[in-house]
Amino acid sequence: MDISDLSLKLVALKKRRKGFLVSSYNQTEIKPGVIEKGVIQNESAFVEVIKESCKNVTGKKLATTYVIASLPEEKSFLQIIQMPSMSEKELATAVVFEAENYIPLPVSEVYLDYNIINRAKDHLDVLIVAMPKKIVNSYFDCLKKAGLTPLALEIESEAITRALVKSKTEASVVLVDFGKTSTVFVVYAGGSIQFTCSIPVSSDQLTIAISKALGVTMEKAEKLKQKYDPAHKKDEYTTQIAEALEPVLENLVAQVKKYIDYYQQHAYHEYSPSHQGLQSVLLCGGGANLKGLPEFLSQNLKIPVALGDISDYIPSKKDAEHLNQHLTTALGVALRGANAL
């Protein structure tokens, strides 16, 4: 399950000879106010959304209650730290004390996980991930109240990476999940996530801009956004749409560029000395379906930009065209369970 403020996306996988295929899926809207900025405000309403989503899937009826779900990126803390070379047993204790220097909450108030991403001659590079216990517990409790059995909860960036990065190579790529209410920015390099953040730019901002510029409802603006194609001949109507979208897209470029520059100038010099620079950008999320967006970003970022592709997991070509960007995070969390089989 991919859970955000305004939607719940569900993917179930079935095993095939060379991997897995999507057997069931669903996309369910969540009313505004039920979840705000990743925090569940109305648990009973959210439980009903989960039940409804599981009951009305497209494809095969769900045959399991086991679930892995995403946690809000904006509430997580992710950092690469350096530790002296030591045994696994020693690290399990030492990393807790070291993490206190990087997490803006007492360690007693978070769930902490870590993974060794590089073993150098004299030190270890360790990726630590922390999430407030209150946030994790609230999601866990709601899933259980909906009749499900949570096996694991993880932050969105881990799921996105699992779905889009085909193999753990030395390739360095930026993953951008352009979602309805926010954008998740991830740097993957050297076989691991190196840096993440939540960007305050969203696909809904594009819809709002069109609605205001043309004086139409949000529903009508959303349809216009989906039909808009900058490659088509311009008329007064499409020109108005383009002008409405421009400030939001320019802000997206500025935000992505800011974090790319930060990573290039700071993070990888410290933790990835052999890193040769970021090579490309992969887009996912519903907002990534805006026509011409990869070309626009590539031109402004001066780096190749393409749409992430999960179509190999979707058996129907027609479904793949519609779902390819929307189900990336949900597929990523499902693959965590599938790969454990």
Side-chain angles (χ1 to χ4, degrees), residues 35-286:
I35 302 177
E36 294 182 352
K37 296 183 179 179
V39 180
I40 300 171
Q41 303 291 341
N42 188 332
E43 289 197 358
S44 61
F46 180 46
V47 168
E48 290 306 311
V49 170
I50 298 172
K51 290 180 179 179
E52 188 72 15
S53 185
C54 291
K55 181 181 178 181
N56 298 311
V57 296
T58 297
K60 291 186 177 181
K61 182 179 179 181
L62 294 182
T64 180
T65 62
Y66 293 111
V67 62
I68 298 177
S70 68
L71 291 168
E73 193 75 25
E74 66 261 47
K75 299 301 180 183
S76 68
F77 308 102
L78 182 149
Q79 180 74 41
I80 295 177
I81 63 175
Q82 289 186 347
M83 300 290 292
S85 295
M86 61 182 73
S87 68
E88 294 276 359
K89 185 177 181 180
E90 291 172 324
L91 181 63
T93 301
V95 74
V96 175
F97 293 103
E98 184 64 20
E100 291 182 334
N101 297 319
Y102 300 91
I103 300 171
L105 287 173
V107 173
S108 61
E109 295 180 11
V110 302
Y111 288 114
L112 178 69
D113 198 6
Y114 68 92
N115 184 38
I116 300 172
I117 63 172
N118 180 48
R119 292 181 179 272
K121 290 183 178 180
D122 59 345
H123 72 274
L124 303 172
D125 290 334
V126 181
L127 176 69
I128 59 171
V129 180
M131 178 73 73
K133 288 182 178 180
K134 288 183 179 180
I135 300 294
V136 177
N137 292 342
S138 65
Y139 280 82
F140 187 89
D141 290 344
C142 286
L143 291 167
K144 289 193 69 176
K145 289 176 182 177
L148 299 177
T149 306
L151 294 178
L153 302 174
E154 69 176 7
I155 60 175
E156 295 169 84
S157 55
E158 292 179 309
I160 295 166
T161 300
R162 188 179 299 110
L164 295 185
V165 178
K166 305 303 181 183
S167 61
K168 289 189 175 182
T169 66
E170 291 301 313
S172 303
V173 60
V174 175
L175 309 174
V176 177
D177 180 7
F178 191 21
K180 191 175 181 65
T181 57
S182 66
T183 295
V184 176
F185 175 95
V186 185
V187 172
Y188 179 91
S192 172
I193 294 174
Q194 299 284 337
F195 178 79
T196 74
C197 66
S198 182
I199 296 175
V201 182
S202 67
S203 177
D204 250 13
Q205 291 176 5
L206 297 174
T207 309
I208 293 169
I210 294 174
S211 175
K212 289 181 177 179
L214 275 64
V216 297
T217 64
M218 285 288 287
E219 183 179 2
K220 175 66 173 178
E222 181 66 27
K223 291 179 180 179
L224 290 171
K225 183 180 71 175
Q226 293 174 7
K227 292 180 180 179
Y228 171 72
D229 188 343
H232 288 175
K233 184 178 179 181
K234 294 287 192 298
D235 55 26
E236 184 178 352
Y237 206 54
T238 56
T239 299
Q240 283 182 289
I241 295 175
E243 291 175 350
L245 296 178
E246 187 175 3
V248 180
L249 294 179
E250 287 182 347
N251 187 26
L252 177 62
V253 169
Q255 294 286 337
V256 172
K257 186 179 294 185
K258 177 177 73 174
Y259 288 112
I260 286 178
D261 289 345
Y262 171 81
Y263 176 73
Q264 297 275 42
Q265 295 172 15
H266 298 87
Y268 87 80
H269 284 300
E270 185 173 357
Y271 297 115
S272 305
S274 63
H275 178 48
Q276 298 301 311
L278 298 170
Q279 299 172 8
S280 63
V281 174
L282 290 179
L283 299 176
C284 65

Side-chain angles (χ1 to χ4, degrees), residues 9-26:
K9 298 167 185 173
L10 176 156
V11 163
L13 299 177
K14 65 178 180 181
K15 192 170 180 59
R16 60 177 180 173
R17 182 175 297 179
K18 294 184 179 180
F20 295 88
L21 281 177
V22 172
S23 59
S24 314
Y25 66 87
N26 201 355

